[in-house]
Each structure stands twice: as C-alpha cells, then as structure tokens.
Amino acid sequence: MEGAVVLLDFWPSMFGMRTRIALAEKGIKYEYKEEDLRNKSELLLQMNPVHKKIPVLIHNGKPVCESLIQVQYIDEVWNDRAPLLPSDPYKRAIARFWADFIDKKIYDQGSKVWKTKGEEQETAKKEFIESLKLLEGELGDKAYFGGENLGFVDVALVPFYSWFYAYEKCGNFSIEAECPKLIAWAMRCMQKESVAKSLPDREKIYEFILHMKKIFGIE
Amino acid sequence: MENEEVILLDLWASPFGMRAKIALALKGINYEHRDEDLSNKSDLLLKTNPVHKKIPVLIHNGKPICESLIIVEYIDEIWPHKFPLLPLDPYQRASARFWADFVDKKIYGARNRKIRTAKGEEQEAAKEELIENLKLLEGELGNKAYFGGEHLGYVDVVLVPIYSWFYTNEKFGNFSFETECPKLIAWAKRCFEQESVCKSLPDQDKIYQHALQLMKRSGYE
C-alpha cells in the first residue's frame, strides 16, 4: 500500500483536482509536480506516452493515467478509509454513469461558455445549465452525491466549481440563480479540507481564462 | 442467483451492444434480447435511459444500467465467479480501464467515421490515425494471446466488436487491416474461436450492407 506517490499536474486542471481531492480524502502523502504544458517534462512524456496529458499519478514508479481511473485506483489501493465508490454493484454503476456524464458534457459545454460569443455562447450556456440541472436532480435531497459523505461523483464534479466564477463572468450569467441546490452542494463540499485545499482560488482561474482568451485570440 | 430477470435493449449492428452480449455470453447469463428501432425508440428505452436515450441498456431485475463499459463492469461484478473479466490487482485494473478508455476515445471515436464519410485527404488522415492507434494496441497486446492474458478479459471484450466492422472500413477506405495490423487480426480471429464471441458478432457482410444503407440515408455517396 505504501510507497512513493507522485502527481504530475497543472494547477487549473479540473482533472488534476479530482486526483488531489482523492489523495487528500485518503490522507496520502505525495509529491506534487507542476507541469508546463508548453514544455512537457521527460517524465510526463515517459509516463503518459499515449496521451501526453496530465494528471498522471505515479505510484511506486508505475503510472496511472486518466483522472477517473486514478480516483478508482486510489479508492481500491487505499481501501481501508474514506471509501469513494459504494460497495453495492448497482450503486457503483450509477456513480460511474454520472461521472461519465460529467466527462461527456460538463467540460465541453463549460469550455464553449468561455470560448465562444453571441448565439454560440447562448446555446452553450443553455446546454451547460441543462446538464447542471440534471445533476441537481440526481443529487436530490442528499448532502452529497455519495450520500452522507463525499463520493466518486462529488470528486468528479466539484473541481468545476472553481471554474464557475470564470464561466459566469465570461457568459454574463449566474449559475446560482439557475442551480441554487448545486451551488449549496458545492459550498458544502468546500467545507471539507480535502476539497478546499485542492481547488485553486476562483479569481486565479478567471485570470487564467482571460490569459487563455488572449492567447487563443478570443475577445 | 435464481429468478434473475435480465433484458438487453440493443441494436444488432452496435459494437457497444456487442460488448454487453459477449460479457453476458461468457458468464452464461440467460437474458432477453430486444432490438430497438432507433427511429422509433421504445417507451422502455426512453424510460430506462432518459439522459442519453441510447442503447445498449441492461435492465437487471427492473433496474437499468447504461453505457457499455459500465454495463460490462457491472456484469463482471454481479457475476464474478464465472469468467472474471477485470483482473484483481488494482494496478492491472487501472491499466485495463485505461486501454478500454483508449479504445472508446480513439478506435470508436467519431473521427473514425470519416473513413467512411470523408474523401481524399481527410479520409487518408482518418485511416492513418486509426492504423496508428491500432498499432498502439498491438504494442499493448505484445506476445499475449489476449489482452487479458491467457483468457479473454475486459479489454478484449471492449475491442473485439470492431472485428465485424473491419470489412466495412476496408471497403470504404480501400486498405487492408491485415497488412497494416496482422497481430491484431490474428488476435481477433483467436477471440472468434470462442463461441461467446462469434455468436455475439454479426456477419461482416451484413454490417457492410447496413453501413451502405446508413450512408444512403444520410445522403453520402
């Protein structure tokens, strides 16, 4: 179980944040290595030759790639504390379904909100809110998607909360007005040290997006 | 596990549905197979997969499971004793999930449709990309009989449905998979020797006819 844990990451990455949260929930000590994505390290290229992307979790010298796979790996190796996936196979399938939904919809739709303008942006905003509302429906009256404690879906989704402020500024809308339950859930998650310590400051994310817009030549 | 009710909402040509069929067959599970008409989706499909409205959907004792990779993992967890698909070791599981995810992103991805729908440079680029990615899989297979080692495993189940689409892609793209990826073709044929696989995969020619029809309907030449 023990052994060196290294995380190759990039501070604004929601995907990296997932792994940070999972490691923190389990109380695992690890070395955090910030990657410059315009100048990827030898280690990154060696550990993730197929996709060359972060995050990469390196445990005892062996790489695990893809954030949701990393979270499941962490849950399975350190299975004596803070379980993230439920033990019931059907509930596990449901948790995986919503994590997959988040991967398929939230990232791309959110990206369109800050990368586009005009009609395209309006459509993106609408679709983004629709997806968040579906997630609110799944949350229901529970404190967390995982029930009484943080679970797989909470870990998969909450990193996007650090980007909400930037989306709102770029899209000129309020996510809280549309999805108050989800914002309440996010703030509940932020009360947890594992989450609060893993998410960057929302102003910093907004600054980062403004910088990206300049580079991409988006107004 | 007596009195199990298992239903699979499917489409005969769907490689995603084939994954579920193979997993159920390997585990020897009796189930009811229902083919959907995607131009006229059944109430049951819309009710059990309201979010994506897609097949396959596995309904186990009335409870729906959606997304083929999730379905295969579920089948493996519910019926763990016969023909285990995922390894026990967490690192090997992570590796199996990685390659299944790679197959979904790079082999079954939307870009590969360009082999059939695009022409000229665009089609060539799509072909090259697919072959490059299949070669990466060949590298992962190495000298093993199957991705799962000595027996079929998770990645084998996830990948092998493309075998029924090889002929179609070769005809449209005017190339030969066997020339480019002989190891993978050998692997696919080895999988085909398993009854659970060959019974779950439709005839390659039927798929070709189906693809021609789809192209016509979509207005492609």
Side-chain angles (χ1 to χ4, degrees):
Chain A
M1 205 186 275
E2 296 314 312
V5 181
V6 179
L7 179 66
L8 306 183
D9 199 355
F10 179 51
W11 70 271
S13 163
M14 306 96 164
F15 305 103
M17 288 176 220
R18 291 167 168 177
T19 311
R20 287 174 232 165
I21 297 170
L23 289 165
E25 276 287 297
K26 302 279 187 176
I28 298 158
K29 290 197 161 61
Y30 66 98
E31 184 190 347
Y32 178 93
K33 285 197 174 163
E34 187 72 32
E35 283 284 333
D36 175 358
L37 297 185
R38 294 156 304 173
N39 185 19
K40 294 175 181 179
S41 72
E42 280 299 316
L43 185 61
L44 173 56
L45 299 176
Q46 191 198 30
M47 292 284 139
N48 192 358
V50 173
H51 300 302
K52 304 176 179 55
K53 288 182 172 179
I54 57 88
V56 180
L57 182 75
I58 310 172
H59 184 206
N60 290 328
K62 297 192 294 189
V64 179
C65 305
E66 296 302 308
S67 62
L68 293 184
I69 295 176
Q70 289 160 0
V71 174
Q72 288 186 90
Y73 174 80
I74 290 164
D75 200 38
E76 288 174 15
V77 173
W78 290 276
N79 57 6
D80 57 343
R81 59 195 105 146
L84 295 170
L85 273 138
S87 46
D88 171 66
Y90 186 71
K91 292 191 175 139
R92 290 157 79 81
I94 298 295
R96 287 176 178 138
F97 174 86
W98 287 105
D100 174 73
F101 173 84
I102 292 160
D103 263 4
K104 283 183 161 98
K105 304 282 185 183
I106 304 295
Y107 181 75
D108 283 339
Q109 288 167 352
S111 290
K112 286 204 174 113
V113 168
W114 69 266
K115 282 182 178 167
T116 64
K117 272 163 44 170
E119 281 259 1
E120 221 188 328
Q121 192 186 45
E122 287 307 307
T123 306
K125 276 157 64 178
K126 195 165 145 269
E127 287 179 351
F128 182 66
I129 293 292
E130 250 169 56
S131 297
L132 292 182
K133 287 196 159 137
L134 272 171
L135 285 161
E136 273 192 328
E138 172 57 19
L139 179 64
D141 291 322
K142 303 195 297 288
Y144 306 97
F145 288 90
E148 297 187 24
N149 287 304
L150 281 185
F152 191 56
V153 180
D154 302 275
V155 174
L157 183 60
V158 78
F160 289 90
Y161 178 64
S162 62
W163 284 65
F164 278 3
Y165 175 69
Y167 294 153
E168 286 173 324
K169 296 277 280 195
C170 295
N172 192 31
F173 69 129
S174 160
I175 296 173
E176 180 149 20
E178 304 277 359
C179 307
K181 276 180 100 174
L182 205 69
I183 298 300
W185 158 83
M187 299 187 72
R188 202 175 297 130
C189 291
M190 289 294 282
Q191 303 274 339
K192 300 245 169 195
E193 201 182 340
S194 60
V195 176
K197 282 194 152 177
S198 304
L199 266 52
D201 182 65
R202 64 187 202 168
E203 284 283 355
K204 288 216 164 96
I205 294 285
Y206 181 47
E207 259 172 51
F208 172 73
I209 282 196
L210 289 177
H211 178 68
M212 284 282 108
K213 280 165 74 118
K214 260 206 197 118
I215 295 182
F216 280 114
I218 309 163
E219 287 274 318
Chain B
M1 290 226 170
E2 299 306 318
N3 298 321
E4 297 274 21
E5 190 204 44
V6 184
I7 300 172
L8 182 68
L9 305 183
D10 191 15
L11 174 65
W12 69 271
S14 162
F16 304 104
M18 288 173 216
R19 292 166 170 178
K21 285 195 279 221
I22 294 169
L24 289 165
L26 286 169
K27 305 268 186 181
I29 307 301
N30 285 324
Y31 67 99
E32 185 192 337
H33 182 269
R34 291 194 197 173
D35 241 28
E36 284 282 329
D37 173 1
L38 295 187
S39 62
N40 185 21
K41 294 177 181 180
S42 71
D43 279 339
L44 185 60
L45 174 56
L46 299 175
K47 189 175 78 150
T48 52
N49 192 356
V51 174
H52 300 302
K53 305 177 177 54
K54 288 182 173 181
I55 55 91
V57 180
L58 183 77
I59 310 173
H60 183 207
N61 294 331
K63 297 190 293 192
I65 300 105
C66 307
E67 296 302 309
S68 63
L69 293 186
I70 297 175
I71 291 172
V72 175
E73 279 213 46
Y74 175 81
I75 290 168
D76 200 36
E77 289 176 11
I78 289 284
W79 293 285
H81 303 298
K82 187 154 181 213
F83 222 106
L85 295 171
L86 271 143
L88 290 170
D89 171 68
Y91 187 75
Q92 285 175 20
R93 291 159 76 81
S95 182
R97 286 177 178 138
F98 173 85
W99 287 105
D101 174 71
F102 175 85
V103 170
D104 259 6
K105 283 185 168 109
K106 304 286 188 179
I107 309 297
Y108 286 110
R111 289 161 72 85
N112 292 317
R113 241 161 270 146
K114 293 222 155 114
I115 294 174
R116 300 190 291 282
T117 59
K119 291 214 182 322
E121 280 222 18
E122 224 189 329
Q123 193 190 40
E124 280 307 306
K127 264 163 65 177
E128 266 183 45
E129 205 184 311
L130 177 63
I131 289 170
E132 229 177 81
N133 288 322
L134 289 175
K135 287 192 160 140
L136 274 171
L137 283 164
E138 278 191 325
E140 171 58 19
L141 179 65
N143 291 324
K144 302 195 295 289
Y146 305 97
F147 288 90
E150 295 182 32
H151 304 285
L152 283 176
Y154 185 59
V155 180
D156 302 275
V157 173
V158 166
L159 180 61
V160 81
I162 51 159
Y163 188 63
S164 54
W165 280 82
F166 274 166
Y167 177 66
T168 300
N169 283 332
E170 284 177 337
K171 290 279 282 198
F172 277 97
N174 192 27
F175 68 115
S176 158
F177 277 111
E178 186 131 20
T179 313
E180 305 280 357
C181 312
K183 275 180 102 175
L184 213 63
I185 298 298
W187 159 84
K189 290 185 171 156
R190 204 174 296 130
C191 291
F192 228 72
E193 287 167 16
Q194 289 263 353
E195 201 183 343
S196 304
V197 174
C198 69
K199 275 190 150 180
S200 308
L201 264 49
D203 187 59
Q204 293 203 45
D205 199 57
K206 264 190 164 161
I207 292 283
Y208 180 54
Q209 298 303 326
H210 170 77
L212 285 175
Q213 264 199 0
L214 282 178
M215 295 280 282
K216 239 197 213 147
R217 252 183 260 155
S218 312
Y220 288 103
E221 288 230 359

